[in-house]
């Protein structure tokens, strides 16, 4: 059998393997994206006859203060969650990668929120941050502090959703970092110890650089997740009080499904897509560690 | 060759199975029945409502041989996004439940079956005029008023007594209902006696309930639209807004109970955070089950007149139903006198037929307080209904959520709030 024929057969096999995925991606990802893009140029309630309005939805977006507030809140939420999720995930992974007693139990507890739906976790968080009767305010009152307006004041409301989001995502970050840590050869640490490196020096000079690919992956995943945060905010604050926790996805949902301005909601969705793509592209281009392997 | 054809058969089989699976998924939550004599019916419902729906469906099937009605119950939160998607895909259920606020959107967009031929003038006259108005758009009926539900004021009698309020002389009828000023006095008295973390009352305008604020506007004898223009920016609008803003300024209501609050008012009442709550009669069974204290129901306060919110739901048929005659017949059956009496008695909801008003229905839970709700329902006027069921209502509800919250807890002025609401109403109307 000639080399060309073998290569084309391999190519064909490759295409056959990837075809089911491509079909599913096309059906459930690319078609809806194109559909949403078309919808964003229309004025429609989802049923009845849609009206083609060109760029009207986008020009309305530019002049909509709640959209800009939601964009700002999304950025604040991202900045407030992602660093803690990365640092916390790595710290927990290092801790639970060591000879910690009952580490299996601790890993389970940290990973547990991952297997619960976002809505259910949000409900748990509501019980904790419930302003009049919640656990957090009860504890604060018990130790002599004033209760916090988690549901009636903008700052504390944002803080409550940030805390809940970090709690929810730490487990995922820890698992990815654990996998990364277990790929680092113990000989490197032994050599460092022989050279007299302290634990902190080992962490800085060996652990942090060698989990670089994990950090790159998690940075992108966490930023995308933060830009697409919905369930926890929807359940905990509904975007309030006074839009102080309104983010792009809750605002898109509000327009698309509550006010039934589906074209306008789709335009917000397309903005989220573009921002996410732009961020991923910049990260991809600027991060040199992404393919670093030991 | 044989092997290849076997593979081809397998591939075709797999494709067919997948297609069948996907087409099955497409019918999620509904889909018009194609069989002659069968209907699909989508609704949400409490346990008591579900039991009554099933029982009435069985009665309808028994009375009509060969007919079957498939009930599909979905959570309320998903109800209208599902229905919207199904209408847009052309596979809406034959019959579905809809609240009066959402009905206007569907009827004005030509999505519902015109029931003009199904009801004679005499049959229409058997319904409360306001409720028939609620299912009509430009004079054409697009559904049947299945039940209604209005808010009244529930009070924790012990908390009131502890504050020095004479609970033996609490108002029980519309004639002796508190005026706004008297209601304010009671709230002030409660505020003075309650600890800081408890509140005189809580209003039920959270979680898509912002339109219930309009009860105060109607009590002040105001309106929010005349059909084409916004009329909310008026002396009556200003009075209603100023009074309801004072709930927060005076510390009468929990600060987190504004229009964008995420906790229902009745929860704050049952847990003892608020001494009084405004609540619909459909909540009476739940509140009765959850509370360990004595409570009773009072009429809503009055200003220039009495008013309350238009709760409850209609039943409608999709205009694309394959069995429109049968769908209309099923709707007629569901609002027949016997069916309505049975449904309302079991669910503590209010009837929409005049023959069933007053004490004609023996309610299952707390029948002692239900006359207050029945009385309260009579304060809804056809002009209120016309506004509350107009196609702009869904957008008005969202504007009320945003603007009232800004006024109540965000310090937005009354002038700006009314101007913004006016703009939102006019934008939705055009």
């Amino acid at each position: 059998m000639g080399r060309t024929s073998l290569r084309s057969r391999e190519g064909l096999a490759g295409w056959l393997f990837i075809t089911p995925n491509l079909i599913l991606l096309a059906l459930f990802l690319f078609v809806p994206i194109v559909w949403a893009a078309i919808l964003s140029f229309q004025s429609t309630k989802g049923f009845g006859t849609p009206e083609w309005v060109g760029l009207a939805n986008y020009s309305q977006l530019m002049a909509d203060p709640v959209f800009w507030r939601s964009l700002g809140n999304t950025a604040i939420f991202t900045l407030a969650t992602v660093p803690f999720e990365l640092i916390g995930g790595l710290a927990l992974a290092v801790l639970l990668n060591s000879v910690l007693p009952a580490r299996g139990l601790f890993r389970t507890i940290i990973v547990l929120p991952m297997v619960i739906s976002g809505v259910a976790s949000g409900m748990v968080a509501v019980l904790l941050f419930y302003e009049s009767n919640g656990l957090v305010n009860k504890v604060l009152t018990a130790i002599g502090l004033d209760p916090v307006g988690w549901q009636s004041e903008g700052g504390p409301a944002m803080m409550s959703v940030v805390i809940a989001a970090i709690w929810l995502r730490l487990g995922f970050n820890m698992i990815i970092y654990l996998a990364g840590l277990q790929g680092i050869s113990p000989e490197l640490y032994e050599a460092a110890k022989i050279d007299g490196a302290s634990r902190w020096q080992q962490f800085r000079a060996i652990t942090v650089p060698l989990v670089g690919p994990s950090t790159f992956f998690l940075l992108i995943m966490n930023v995308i997740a933060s830009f697409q945060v919905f369930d926890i905010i929807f359940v905990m604050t509904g975007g309030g009080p006074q839009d102080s926790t309104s983010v792009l996805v809750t605002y898109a949902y509000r327009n698309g499904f509550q006010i039934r301005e589906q074209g306008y909601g789709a335009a917000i969705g397309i903005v989220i897509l573009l921002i996410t793509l732009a961020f991923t592209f910049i990260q991809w281009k600027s991060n040199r560690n992404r393919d670093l392997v030991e | 060759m044989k092997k290849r054809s076997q593979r081809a058969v397998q591939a075709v089989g797999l494709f067919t199975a997948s297609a069948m699976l996907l087409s099955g998924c497409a019918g999620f939550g509904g889909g018009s029945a194609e069989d002659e004599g069968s209907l699909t019916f989508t609704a949400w419902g409490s346990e008591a409502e579900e039991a009554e729906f099933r029982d009435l469906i069985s009665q309808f099937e028994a009375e009509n041989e060969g007919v079957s009605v498939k009930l599909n119950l979905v959570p309320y939160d998903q109800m209208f996004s599902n229905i919207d998607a199904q209408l847009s895909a052309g596979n809406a259920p034959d019959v579905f439940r809809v609240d009066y606020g959402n009905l206007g959107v569907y009827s004005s967009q030509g999505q519902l079956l015109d029931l003009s031929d199904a009801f004679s003038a005499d049959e229409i006259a058997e319904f409360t005029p306001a409720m028939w108005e609620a299912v009509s758009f430009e004079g054409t009926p697009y559904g049947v008023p299945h039940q209604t539900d209005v808010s009244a004021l529930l009070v924790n009698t012990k908390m009131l007594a502890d504050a020095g309020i004479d609970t033996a002389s609490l108002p029980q009828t519309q004639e002796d209902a508190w005026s706004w000023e008297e209601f304010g006095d009671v709230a002030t008295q409660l505020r003075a006696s309650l600890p800081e973390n408890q509140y005189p009352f809580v209003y039920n305008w959270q979680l898509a309930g912002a339109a219930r604020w309009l009860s105060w506007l109607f009590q002040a004898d105001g309106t929010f639209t005349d059909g084409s223009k916004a009329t909310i920016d008026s002396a009556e609008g200003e009075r209603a807004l100023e009074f309801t803003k004072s709930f927060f300024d005076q510390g009468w209501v929990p600060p987190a109970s504004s229009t964008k609050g995420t906790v229902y008012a009745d929860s704050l009442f049952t847990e003892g955070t608020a001494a009084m709550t405004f609540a619909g009669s459909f909540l009476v069974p739940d509140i009765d089950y959850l509370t360990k204290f004595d409570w009773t129901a009072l009429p809503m306060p009055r200003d220039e007149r009495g008013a309350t919110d238009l709760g409850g739901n209609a039943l409608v048929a999709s205009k694309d139903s394959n069995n429109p005659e049968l769908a209309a017949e099923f709707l007629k059956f569901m609002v027949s006198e016997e069916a309505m009496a049975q449904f309302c008695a079991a669910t503590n909801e209010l009837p929409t037929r005049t023959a069933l008003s007053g004490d004609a229905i023996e309610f299952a839970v707390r029948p002692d307080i239900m006359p207050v709700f029945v009385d309260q329902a009579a304060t809804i006027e056809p002009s209120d209904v016309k506004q509350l069921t107009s196609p702009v209502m869904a957008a008005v509800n969202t504007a009320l959520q945003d603007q009232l919250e800004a006024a109540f807890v965000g310090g937005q002025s009354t002038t700006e709030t009314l101007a913004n609401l006016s703009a939102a109403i006019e934008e939705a109307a055009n």
Side-chain angles (χ1 to χ4, degrees):
Chain A
M1 193 178 289
R3 181 173 283 192
T4 322
S5 143
L6 187 66
R7 194 171 282 174
S8 72
R9 278 181 64 125
E10 275 180 358
L12 185 68
W15 277 109
L16 279 176
F17 278 119
I18 209 170
T19 301
N21 285 351
L22 281 180
I23 291 172
L24 289 174
L25 278 174
L27 206 60
F28 295 109
L29 194 67
F30 302 133
V31 170
I33 288 174
V34 173
W35 206 327
I38 295 168
L39 205 62
S40 72
F41 297 111
Q42 294 177 340
S43 171
T44 170
K45 292 195 184 310
F47 44 78
T49 320
E51 185 192 346
W52 191 264
V53 292
L55 289 169
N57 287 326
Y58 291 96
S59 54
Q60 190 185 337
L61 265 188
M62 294 301 111
D64 180 355
V66 184
F67 166 73
W68 290 110
R69 174 126 204 231
S70 303
L71 182 63
N73 284 342
T74 311
I76 291 170
F77 180 84
T78 305
L79 288 172
T81 52
V82 174
F84 287 103
E85 286 160 7
L86 290 179
I87 295 167
L90 182 57
L92 284 172
V94 169
L95 197 65
L96 296 178
N97 198 37
S98 63
V99 281
L100 188 78
R103 62 182 177 173
L105 178 71
F106 286 118
R107 280 181 190 175
T108 310
I109 291 170
I110 293 162
V111 170
L112 207 58
M114 272 175 65
V115 296
I116 306 172
S117 85
V119 173
S121 310
M123 302 287 268
V124 173
V126 168
L127 291 177
L128 294 176
F129 291 105
Y130 186 30
E131 187 165 324
S132 66
N133 223 354
L135 188 68
V136 176
N137 270 358
K138 277 191 172 164
V139 170
L140 290 176
T141 317
I143 58 173
L145 297 171
D146 285 334
V148 176
W150 301 110
Q151 292 168 314
S152 60
E153 291 168 38
M158 179 57 101
M159 201 188 291
S160 72
V161 293
V162 164
I163 292 170
I166 292 173
W167 165 61
L168 281 181
R169 294 206 206 127
L170 266 185
F172 175 72
N173 288 11
M174 184 198 75
I175 285 185
I176 301 295
Y177 272 131
L178 262 179
L181 285 178
Q182 285 171 1
I184 301 175
S185 165
E187 283 90 2
L188 285 171
Y189 291 103
E190 278 167 26
K193 267 187 220 161
I194 290 165
D195 289 342
S198 67
R199 277 192 169 271
W200 176 244
Q201 283 170 326
Q202 289 173 39
F203 177 74
R204 274 193 56 195
I206 302 172
T207 310
V208 172
L210 289 184
V211 292
S214 304
T215 306
F216 171 69
F217 168 74
L218 285 174
L219 182 65
I220 291 190
M221 294 300 286
N222 284 312
V223 169
I224 291 175
S226 290
F227 262 89
Q228 296 181 347
V229 66
F230 173 74
D231 42 15
I232 197 153
I233 291 184
F234 188 69
V235 174
M236 283 182 71
T237 63
Q242 294 180 74
D243 301 319
S244 58
T245 56
S246 171
V247 289
L248 287 174
V249 186
T250 57
Y251 193 51
Y253 178 84
R254 188 171 175 73
N255 281 288
F257 298 104
Q258 291 179 324
I259 311 179
R260 289 196 176 91
E261 292 291 346
Q262 294 208 339
Y264 194 56
I268 302 169
I270 294 297
V271 170
I272 299 169
L273 176 74
L274 293 178
I275 293 174
T276 313
L277 283 179
F279 176 80
T280 311
F281 180 75
I282 293 166
Q283 272 300 309
W284 189 261
K285 283 284 173 199
S286 63
N287 197 308
R288 290 178 192 165
N289 283 342
R290 66 174 188 266
D291 296 324
L292 187 74
V293 284
E294 195 190 332
Chain B
M1 188 67 198
K2 201 177 168 192
K3 216 171 207 177
R4 196 172 281 182
S5 67
Q6 215 172 345
R7 274 187 195 163
V9 169
Q10 281 172 351
V12 170
L14 191 67
F15 177 79
T16 315
S18 310
M20 282 170 73
L21 193 71
L22 285 172
S23 65
C25 290
F28 173 74
S32 289
E34 288 183 7
D35 304 342
E36 188 83 7
S38 72
L39 292 174
T40 50
F41 172 27
T42 299
W44 72 94
S46 63
E47 265 180 53
E49 286 175 328
E50 180 182 349
E52 291 313 307
F53 278 138
R54 292 200 188 282
D55 189 53
L56 291 169
I57 285 170
S58 303
Q59 287 181 33
F60 182 72
E61 288 172 339
E63 285 173 20
N64 298 274
E65 207 180 326
V67 164
S68 74
V69 181
K70 188 175 169 238
L71 176 65
N72 175 39
L73 280 171
V74 298
Y76 177 73
D77 294 343
Q78 290 165 22
M79 179 73 193
F80 297 110
S81 44
N82 275 4
I83 291 288
D84 287 6
Q86 289 169 341
L87 284 171
S88 126
N91 66 346
D94 295 295
V95 179
F96 58 94
R97 193 181 199 193
V98 60
D99 59 60
Y100 298 112
N102 273 302
L103 196 146
V105 176
Y106 296 130
S107 56
S108 66
Q109 295 280 317
Q111 300 297 312
L112 302 178
L113 186 68
D114 177 352
L115 296 174
S116 301
D117 296 336
F119 288 86
S120 69
D122 286 347
E123 286 171 329
I124 291 172
E126 290 170 4
F127 292 89
T128 316
M131 299 313 300
W132 195 259
E133 175 72 40
V135 292
S136 303
F137 176 65
E138 294 177 344
T140 305
Y142 285 102
V144 290
H146 185 222
Q147 38 83 213
T148 182
D149 184 86
V150 298
S151 290
L153 179 63
L154 308 186
V155 300
N156 178 326
T157 40
K158 184 175 183 304
M159 283 170 94
L160 262 68
D162 289 349
I165 296 158
D166 178 13
T167 53
S169 60
L170 292 173
Q172 283 300 306
T173 64
Q174 283 301 313
E175 284 68 47
D176 59 358
W178 284 327
S179 66
W180 282 10
E181 287 69 26
E182 288 169 328
F183 175 66
D185 292 342
V186 170
T188 307
Q189 208 171 331
L190 277 164
R191 180 66 285 164
S193 92
L194 291 170
E196 213 177 306
N197 60 351
Q198 289 184 320
Y199 297 86
F201 69 95
V202 55
Y203 195 73
N204 51 345
W205 45 35
Q206 308 78 19
L207 294 156
R212 294 198 179 104
W213 175 84
L214 296 168
S215 300
W216 300 97
L217 177 71
F218 296 153
Q219 285 162 19
D221 212 18
T223 56
F224 66 94
T225 178
D226 65 2
S228 56
K229 285 201 309 292
T231 53
I232 198 167
D233 201 348
S234 60
E236 294 81 15
E238 192 180 322
R239 176 165 164 75
L241 188 58
E242 286 288 334
F243 185 57
T244 46
K245 258 174 92 168
S246 75
F247 298 173
F248 291 86
D249 301 340
Q250 308 263 9
W252 290 344
V253 294
S257 69
S258 179
T259 45
K260 280 195 175 172
T262 49
V263 178
Y264 284 113
D266 53 287
S267 301
L268 294 159
F269 177 70
T270 52
E271 74 188 27
T273 299
M276 306 190 281
T277 185
F278 291 81
S281 66
F282 74 103
L283 290 168
V284 166
D286 277 357
I287 296 175
D288 184 57
Y289 176 75
L290 291 170
T291 48
K292 300 277 180 284
F293 52 80
D294 288 335
W295 57 276
T296 190
L298 316 183
M300 298 251 291
R302 298 170 66 99
D303 191 38
E304 292 296 316
R305 69 175 177 94
T308 184
D309 53 289
L310 178 70
N313 305 288
L315 297 178
V316 297
S318 158
K319 80 166 191 324
D320 295 327
S321 166
N322 289 320
N323 291 318
E325 289 85 15
L326 186 62
E329 208 176 311
F330 177 66
L331 294 182
K332 265 188 107 159
F333 167 78
M334 291 299 278
V335 291
S336 64
E337 198 169 316
E338 297 73 27
M340 190 179 284
Q342 178 185 330
F343 189 87
C344 290
T347 57
N348 274 60
E349 284 157 5
L350 304 178
T352 58
R353 282 180 165 272
T354 46
L356 296 176
S357 58
D359 55 1
I361 292 179
E362 180 67 23
F363 292 100
V365 184
R366 291 295 303 265
D368 58 314
I369 59 162
M370 290 307 288
V372 172
F373 288 95
V374 174
D375 233 17
Q376 189 73 63
T379 60
I380 302 177
E381 295 189 0
S383 60
D384 305 344
V385 176
K386 203 176 176 77
Q387 296 171 74
L388 292 168
T389 56
S390 65
V392 300
M393 201 51 222
V396 169
N397 198 12
T398 322
L400 282 168
Q401 262 180 37
D402 292 339
Q403 296 303 321
L404 292 177
E405 168 126 323
F408 294 161
V409 291
Q412 181 171 280
S413 73
T414 300
T415 316
E416 194 181 346
T417 306
L418 291 173
N420 290 349
L421 282 170
S422 257
I425 293 166
E426 300 221 329
E427 192 187 324
N430 297 315

